[in-house]
Amino acid sequence: MKTKTTKARAKSGGSASRTKIRQLMTPNVVVVSPDDTLQSAARKMQERDIGFLPVCDGERLIGTLSDRDITVRAVAAGRDPKSTPVREFASPQPVWCFDDQDVGEAAQRMQEKQVRRLMVLRREDKQLVGVVSLGDLAANGTREISSEVLESTSPAAD
């Protein structure tokens, strides 16, 4: 139901559907290499007060790494962050959108894929140009859409 509401709003011509992702995204994103260690990635997250990094092999986006990937998957499994490469715990197949897409389309993609962040690619060369999060949607006047996405991507309360 929530997905239909967002789809309808995106098609209806509301202000959110006219706003392009490039207007809301965080540009100049810090990335990690698949060969970096988990400790190096965690240090980048700590220095920038973020919990998520795109993983790029050269110019190509190949995955994402979250603070949860490091703690819940790697450290909890007994892996040494000083020597374990990012590639072993990065989530493959990052979810993305293009920078020229409407906010409504991006919100719909977040709902469909059950994610709170999208990698943003430039359509012409498919290079990573930013990240857009639910927080970006909420902070930029698309609160209703971001609330719907948050509700649909959050685990149900027991």
Side-chain angles (χ1 to χ4, degrees), residues 93-129:
Q93 300 173 338
V95 182
W96 52 270
C97 65
F98 289 118
D99 65 342
D100 61 357
Q101 285 184 279
D102 294 331
V103 168
E105 294 172 315
Q108 179 182 337
R109 186 142 171 90
M110 285 179 175
Q111 282 182 314
E112 289 169 355
K113 298 296 185 174
Q114 296 289 293
V115 297
R116 296 180 186 199
R117 295 178 197 92
L118 292 175
M119 304 299 97
V120 181
L121 306 180
R122 186 172 39 238
R123 189 175 297 273
E124 297 79 39
D125 56 10
K126 302 206 176 29
Q127 294 299 300
L128 179 69
V129 294

Side-chain angles (χ1 to χ4, degrees), residues 42-112:
R43 191 170 289 124
K44 284 184 180 184
M45 289 180 192
Q46 179 187 36
E47 289 168 355
R48 291 162 180 84
D49 193 27
I50 55 176
F52 174 87
L53 290 167
V55 180
C56 292
D57 191 3
E59 295 289 316
R60 193 170 60 101
L61 176 66
I62 62 167
T64 59
L65 184 74
S66 70
D67 50 3
R68 187 168 172 81
D69 292 328
I70 296 170
T71 57
V72 175
R73 294 178 58 214
V75 175
R79 299 299 300 271
D80 181 2
K82 293 178 183 176
S83 60
T84 304
V86 164
R87 79 173 65 250
E88 291 185 26
F89 288 95
S91 299
Q93 300 173 338
V95 182
W96 52 270
C97 65
F98 289 118
D99 65 342
D100 61 357
Q101 285 184 279
D102 294 331
V103 168
E105 294 172 315
Q108 179 182 337
R109 186 142 171 90
M110 285 179 175
Q111 282 182 314
E112 289 169 355

Side-chain angles (χ1 to χ4, degrees), residues 6-37:
T6 301
K7 284 181 187 176
R9 186 174 298 107
K11 291 179 183 176
S12 71
S15 63
S17 68
R18 289 184 293 248
T19 303
K20 301 297 182 191
I21 289 300
R22 73 171 60 93
Q23 296 170 270
L24 305 181
M25 71 180 192
T26 300
N28 306 317
V29 179
V30 174
V31 301
V32 290
S33 161
D35 297 321
D36 288 345
T37 65

